[in-house]
Amino acid sequence: MSESSRYQPQAIEAAWQQQWQEQGLHATPELQPGDDAFYALSMFPYPSGNLHMGHVRNYVITDVVARVARLRGKRVLHPMGWDAFGLPAENAAIERGVDPGAWTDRNIASMREQLNQLGLSIDWDRELATCHADYYRWTQWLFLQFLEAGLAYQKDATVNWDPIDQTVLANEQVDSEGRSWRSGALVEKRKLRQWFLKITAYADQLLDDLPKLEGWPERVRTMQANWIGRSTGAELTFPVVDAEGNDTAEAITVFTTRPDTIFGASYVVLAPEHPLVAKLTTPEQAIHVEAFCDLVSRQSEQERTADDKPKRGVPIGAQVRNPANGELIPLWIADYVLAEYGTGAVMGVPAHDQRDFVFARQYELPVRQVIIPEGSDEHAFEGGAWTEAGVLIHSGPFTGLASGEAKRAIAEAAEGQGWGRAKVQFRLRDWLISRQRYWGCPIPVIHCDSCGVVPVPNEQLPVELPRDVAFSGKGGSPLAQLESWWQVACPCCGQPARRETDTMDTFMCSSWYYLRYSDPHNTALPFSRKAVDSWLPVDQYVGGIEHAILHLLYSRFFTKVLRDRGLLGFDEPFQKLLTQGMVQGITYKNPHSGKYIAPADVADPTDPRDPVTGEVLEVFYEKMSKSKYNGVDPAVVIDKYGADTARMFILFKAPPEKDLEWDDADVEGQFRFLQRIWRLVDGAAERGLSLADGAGTPAAVAEALASGAPSGEEQELRRAVHTAISAISDDLDGDYQFNTAVSELMKLSNAMAAHLEASRAALACEALRTLLILLAPFAPHLAEELWLKLGGRRETEQLDSSSVHRQAWPLADAAALVRSTVPLVIQIKGKVRGSLEVPADADKATLEQLALASDIAAKWLEGKAPSRVIVVPGKLVNLVP
Ligand SMILES: [Zn+2]
């Protein structure tokens, strides 16, 4: 074999990437009416500057989806862009004095180059970056659509304040320990005037449309449903009474999902932040209430509501009247009631709510049972509250009703008597979008003392970020400190006014980017209705499970609002969603010190020890991260093996939605597989086989079969070819089982190695042609190179329809799948001793004859006739001596 015919990915990959780019092979086609459009989309990355394996897996999966769709004749949109606003750029500005825009653009350029090395079939002409004014101009325009629709508003809100990053965080950006998702700082509470989007106005739709998303993982739909959290119940009003027990003008309204338990209420609890707390607290209790409120203000929401944390509270001295039975009960404040949820007040029913039960036991409040299990007459409260439905007792006119019936009856009575009504409540709250940071999309409004909030007129968009900014990292937004920027004339009255200095949550920018890709160069609108409706919804969206709630929920919200504004004509943005699993690296940890050890520092992986102390290390797989030294740099893998091997390994090692354990030996295995394919095709080319002039196409194969029936070897070859087509087509329908598709490619290449040389040229070419087209989505460079080698591709400067990536996906020939022979197992006295190839249509008598005449029978029966013969057609013959 000559030197030039070795598989050297480094020698071919960059050249093909450049040629595809120059020939516009991945350009998005203009859609004509009736075209079968397909939109394959990866969640766009934050441009940190470094591509990691998690990115690689995500984009390779989407790329295979896009490539397969093209081969199947669809018109494909496969874009890429950058989620480019956010804190890291601003932090770089603070720490190193670099311009955030320039820093971001450098990172984008570097990551784009790294992405291109993977051979992704991305249409770079549609690239966008959310931090560029030609994009964020439209984010601002869309914000004004929300404002005009009454879906954007300002209110004072208690916010999560990150004392390190000095910014407001959304609740979702605070982890379960009350720490910032980014800085790790313990989050504090502050009151600020903030912008919100009214996502709660769409809560019902966002929930009710979830069952339509059949192409989404069930668990993502469940997570969204839980996040939205719809509960049906009632609002009930408890009048506050004075010292003599007479109703005052004040009243406390609670929300409950269990109005049937109101006769069991033994106290009412307010959130410490509830506006009536200060007013209703009695002088004797004031000092305790103040101390308690101070304590709670330092706790995170998660700390306050976690099931395993003790609940604390104090009575504020006032009493309320239970509107159902007239009983006077005490008013408390407690940490577990949050001002932002519901009404900021709940009724305490210890007998029928576990949290109330624990609280009542702790503070010696009465526990009164008003529901009993159906068919029982009492329930002891040793284990806790009885929280199931049942039958009402001690409940006045409602005694004897079942819970469901009682909920309706009590809500109706409350409404009739003016102390309540049935109500649906959501856990979902409005979306806080204000950020007091520089590197974000400016909120395009002006505050005027005379006119109030004035939208920036369309012709003045974009409101550009100023470049002459000092970054100190302290004291809030740099924009608020730049008077020359925020001091403007009111667009309405011309008086001096103040530009809004808050920027938007970056989730705003990422809630519509997939719409912009359909029409990225539009300068009159964010996108045209025609373009967006012809490409969307996205056919296949691929990304991490970490975006299962917020990004997807916000994008769904945007889509529904823009639909209602007449800007697009569909209900849901993403038809199918694939959440790829994590990429895990081998991880070494010293169990005593807790320190992670880099694999390079482990001298003997079969007996891993701490290089300093000699202690035995723990070995396990975990998500790759810098702090655990378990990452694998994609660039290193590509340098060593090429992008095609990296792609094949990632696709083969695990199904796409499952976690993947990085394993160098398996990477090596994929490299050897591609080498075998290279040698197989190279050998065929040296024997003069060629795919030029339609060799190996169905027409050419039909002609060859008409001129002579296939030999046994040819039948084996054709069966392998068409089995592979059928199996891989199935693997790519629906769930994208890339790992089994790659296994099928391996089986096909093995069958070809065995039967190719003994087969006629037309049939050998059919196999070669099929192998390369099926391989093309997985290992695009190798497939193209071998396609060229075999004469399938013409070399030309123009956009080339002869590329392997422009071929049609092969169709399985059912006739070739029929087996003429099948394996028959031979048993001697029930033990398997060997097998025979026998005609598939042989009858019982023939099978018995063939078995008795076999070498296996001769060896094990030693010439004697068997006493018994059992034949199972299509499976086995058992000879009993
Ligand atoms: Zn004005």
Side-chain angles (χ1 to χ4, degrees):
M1 195 179 293
S2 61
E3 181 64 21
S4 65
S5 71
R6 271 179 50 216
Y7 173 44
Q8 290 174 299
Q10 296 77 3
I12 60 172
E13 291 187 345
W16 281 120
Q17 285 155 14
Q18 196 188 339
Q19 205 172 128
W20 293 332
Q21 187 66 30
E22 285 166 7
Q23 294 179 342
L25 200 70
H26 309 135
T28 310
E30 285 292 322
L31 281 184
Q32 307 300 330
D35 272 354
D36 195 358
F38 189 93
Y39 187 172
L41 180 66
S42 298
M43 288 185 188
F44 67 164
Y46 177 79
S48 63
N50 292 306
L51 199 69
H52 59 65
M53 262 324 159
H55 291 130
V56 173
R57 189 174 192 201
N58 187 345
Y59 309 142
V60 165
I61 288 170
T62 314
D63 188 54
V64 179
V65 169
R67 288 180 178 280
V68 169
R70 285 195 199 94
L71 290 169
R72 285 178 159 180
K74 296 182 193 291
R75 314 284 275 173
V76 172
L77 167 59
H78 179 207
M80 182 57 75
W82 311 98
D83 189 10
F85 273 133
L87 285 176
E90 192 159 343
N91 289 340
I94 293 164
E95 286 156 22
R96 304 198 289 282
V98 294
D99 175 60
W103 183 87
T104 305
D105 285 342
R106 269 200 307 279
N107 285 350
I108 288 175
S110 150
M111 281 181 82
R112 191 192 299 116
E113 200 181 314
Q114 295 169 64
L115 283 178
N116 275 327
Q117 289 172 357
L118 291 166
L120 303 176
S121 62
I122 288 167
D123 179 2
W124 285 108
D125 187 46
R126 296 192 177 225
E127 178 184 13
L128 57 82
T130 58
C131 67
H132 290 165
D134 58 356
Y135 181 86
Y136 73 67
R137 171 198 175 146
W138 299 113
T139 308
Q140 293 174 340
W141 190 91
L142 290 169
F143 171 87
L144 294 178
Q145 292 283 311
F146 279 77
L147 189 66
E148 197 177 293
L151 294 168
Y153 67 95
Q154 277 184 295
K155 71 172 177 189
D156 282 328
T158 305
V159 296
N160 302 302
W161 180 258
D162 179 332
I164 290 186
D165 282 340
Q166 300 211 320
T167 191
V168 169
L169 300 172
N171 286 314
E172 304 84 69
Q173 292 168 340
V174 181
D175 70 14
S176 59
E177 290 168 354
R179 292 179 182 276
S180 162
W181 69 297
R182 190 183 287 285
S183 75
L186 266 180
V187 169
E188 299 167 2
K189 296 289 178 189
R190 284 200 185 177
K191 260 208 154 66
L192 280 178
R193 193 153 180 82
Q194 304 278 299
W195 282 98
F196 287 82
L197 292 193
K198 205 183 273 180
I199 190 171
T200 53
Y202 283 76
D204 271 316
Q205 283 188 47
L206 289 167
L207 188 67
D208 293 342
D209 284 350
L210 281 174
K212 291 184 194 166
L213 300 173
E214 286 170 12
W216 285 35
E218 182 65 43
R219 71 166 169 152
V220 174
R221 285 189 280 166
T222 303
M223 285 160 86
Q224 294 228 335
N226 291 342
W227 190 262
I228 297 165
R230 180 163 61 194
S231 51
T232 307
E235 255 179 16
L236 304 173
T237 300
F238 290 67
V240 178
V241 298
D242 59 22
E244 283 73 45
N246 298 314
D247 288 5
T248 65
E250 302 293 351
I252 307 296
T253 297
V254 305
F255 174 81
T256 175
T257 58
R258 294 296 303 272
D260 55 321
T261 65
I262 187 168
F263 286 83
S266 49
Y267 58 97
V268 166
V269 193
L270 301 178
E273 302 86 358
H274 195 288
L276 283 177
V277 170
K279 190 171 181 190
L280 299 179
T281 300
T282 57
E284 309 84 73
Q285 285 303 100
I287 186 163
H288 305 296
V289 167
E290 202 175 305
F292 184 74
C293 289
D294 187 48
L295 180 79
V296 171
S297 70
R298 291 198 296 269
Q299 285 184 287
S300 74
E301 184 179 320
Q302 283 76 8
E303 280 178 280
R304 288 171 57 176
T305 55
D307 284 338
D308 56 349
K309 294 272 164 56
K311 310 295 173 250
R312 290 174 297 185
V314 289
I316 69 169
Q319 287 192 304
V320 294
R321 185 171 56 78
N322 184 333
N325 60 10
E327 190 186 0
L328 300 187
I329 53 177
L331 197 50
W332 283 62
I333 53 174
D335 53 1
Y336 67 85
V337 181
L338 302 174
E340 278 88 8
Y341 278 117
T343 60
V346 299
M347 62 178 193
V349 186
H352 304 293
D353 180 279
Q354 188 59 29
R355 192 180 56 187
D356 295 349
F357 180 82
V358 173
F359 190 78
R361 277 287 144 97
Q362 190 175 341
Y363 294 106
E364 298 177 347
L365 291 157
V367 178
R368 189 187 309 139
Q369 185 176 13
V370 293
I371 310 277
I372 52 169
E374 188 138 24
S376 141
D377 50 8
E378 63 176 306
H379 172 71
F381 293 103
E382 278 151 22
W386 166 258
T387 59
E388 306 292 309
V391 177
L392 274 66
I393 56 170
H394 308 312
S395 295
F398 308 101
T399 298
L401 293 182
S403 286
E405 209 181 331
K407 283 181 188 179
R408 279 187 298 276
I410 290 173
E412 264 170 39
E415 182 141 25
Q417 295 162 22
W419 49 271
R421 62 194 175 100
K423 188 160 193 249
V424 173
Q425 183 179 281
F426 291 89
R427 182 177 175 273
L428 182 69
R429 283 174 285 171
D430 280 342
W431 173 14
L432 167 57
I433 60 156
S434 281
R435 296 294 180 272
Q436 288 71 46
R437 300 300 299 218
Y438 167 80
W439 194 235
C441 175
I443 294 175
V445 301
I446 289 163
H447 299 277
C448 169
D449 285 343
S450 313
C451 313
V453 169
V454 181
V456 172
N458 189 24
E459 63 276 10
Q460 290 177 26
L461 295 180
V463 175
E464 286 201 56
L465 283 171
R467 303 304 285 256
D468 51 340
V469 182
F471 295 95
S472 65
K474 299 284 172 270
S477 171
L479 295 178
Q481 297 167 35
L482 198 66
E483 196 175 334
S484 61
W485 185 76
W486 59 253
Q487 207 172 56
V488 287
C490 168
C492 283
C493 69
Q495 293 302 306
R498 186 184 167 97
R499 197 184 277 294
E500 173 63 64
T501 58
D502 282 356
T503 53
M504 298 181 206
D505 179 4
T506 57
F507 275 107
M508 283 285 286
C509 312
S510 59
S511 290
W512 75 280
Y513 77 105
Y514 51 91
L515 303 170
R516 179 69 174 173
Y517 283 139
S518 72
D519 197 7
H521 307 300
N522 197 328
T523 55
L525 282 170
F527 44 81
S528 76
R529 174 84 191 246
K530 180 168 175 278
V532 80
D533 282 356
S534 55
W535 281 112
L536 279 100
V538 172
D539 292 87
Q540 182 66 61
Y541 199 20
V542 183
I545 189 76
E546 67 273 21
H547 295 297
I549 298 178
L550 297 181
H551 164 60
L552 294 172
L553 194 65
Y554 294 153
S555 297
R556 296 180 60 220
F557 168 48
F558 258 64
T559 298
K560 290 174 193 301
V561 172
L562 301 187
R563 175 203 60 197
D564 292 348
R565 300 287 294 171
L567 293 167
L568 50 79
F570 44 91
D571 297 326
E572 288 286 341
F574 312 120
Q575 205 150 45
K576 289 183 71 184
L577 171 70
L578 191 161
T579 50
Q580 88 275 356
M582 288 186 299
V583 183
Q584 302 178 322
I586 193 158
T587 312
Y588 296 97
K589 186 182 177 185
N590 184 322
H592 303 109
S593 65
K595 278 185 182 157
Y596 290 91
I597 311 291
D601 295 336
V602 176
D604 178 6
T606 62
D607 178 25
R609 288 177 180 274
D610 190 306
V612 178
T613 66
E615 290 165 293
V616 175
L617 299 175
E618 282 179 351
V619 187
F620 50 94
Y621 281 91
E622 201 163 299
K623 183 181 179 181
M624 290 183 177
S625 76
K626 268 190 191 141
S627 61
K628 295 178 179 138
Y629 311 109
N630 62 352
V632 175
D633 183 352
V636 171
V637 178
I638 292 171
D639 275 353
K640 187 166 177 193
Y641 297 105
D644 282 342
T645 293
R647 293 170 63 111
M648 292 289 285
F649 164 78
I650 283 171
L651 296 164
F652 176 66
K653 179 72 181 175
E657 68 283 0
K658 294 278 191 309
D659 289 345
L660 178 156
E661 294 177 355
W662 192 270
D663 182 314
D664 289 334
D666 287 348
V667 177
E668 185 78 40
Q670 286 302 315
F671 182 65
R672 284 198 304 272
F673 171 50
L674 294 185
Q675 276 179 318
R676 285 201 300 279
I677 290 185
W678 177 278
R679 285 196 298 269
L680 181 77
V681 177
D682 190 54
E686 289 202 350
R687 291 197 305 280
L689 290 175
S690 164
L691 295 180
D693 305 322
T697 58
V701 171
E703 202 177 308
L705 291 175
S707 70
S711 67
E713 297 247 30
E714 287 173 345
Q715 282 179 26
E716 291 289 332
L717 182 65
R718 290 208 76 221
R719 188 155 56 239
V721 166
H722 291 276
T723 301
I725 295 171
S726 168
I728 294 174
S729 300
D730 284 352
D731 288 337
L732 299 178
D733 283 334
D735 285 343
Y736 292 118
Q737 295 306 302
F738 302 126
N739 53 324
T740 52
V742 173
S743 304
E744 292 297 331
L745 286 171
M746 293 171 167
K747 287 187 206 164
L748 174 58
S749 81
N750 289 341
M752 287 172 66
H755 306 296
L756 204 62
E757 284 194 46
S759 299
R760 277 174 285 169
L763 303 182
C765 284
E766 180 189 27
L768 289 163
R769 184 184 171 81
T770 305
L771 175 71
L772 294 182
I773 296 173
L774 296 179
L775 180 69
F778 301 90
H781 312 88
L782 175 64
E784 187 81 305
E785 179 75 16
L786 292 177
W787 188 254
L788 173 70
K789 207 179 234 307
L790 275 176
R793 196 183 207 276
R794 294 182 301 275
E795 287 197 73
T796 152
E797 295 300 307
Q798 298 305 309
L799 170 64
D800 197 341
S801 62
S802 67
S803 162
V804 71
H805 301 293
R806 293 279 168 140
Q807 304 307 306
W809 190 255
L811 295 174
D813 175 1
L817 294 173
V818 176
R819 293 181 70 103
S820 57
T821 64
V822 291
L824 180 76
V825 170
I826 309 294
Q827 295 180 340
I828 307 294
K829 220 176 150 183
K831 282 211 169 101
V832 177
R833 297 299 184 188
S835 72
L836 293 179
E837 278 294 314
V838 299
D841 55 358
D843 60 14
K844 271 187 155 187
T846 313
L847 293 176
E848 185 174 334
Q849 279 175 16
L850 288 168
L852 287 170
S854 68
D855 294 346
I856 304 160
K859 179 177 172 193
W860 292 92
L861 297 178
E862 294 165 345
K864 284 174 265 178
S867 64
R868 207 147 57 94
V869 178
I870 300 152
V871 181
V872 183
K875 290 221 169 82
L876 62 86
V877 174
N878 185 8
L879 305 172
V880 184

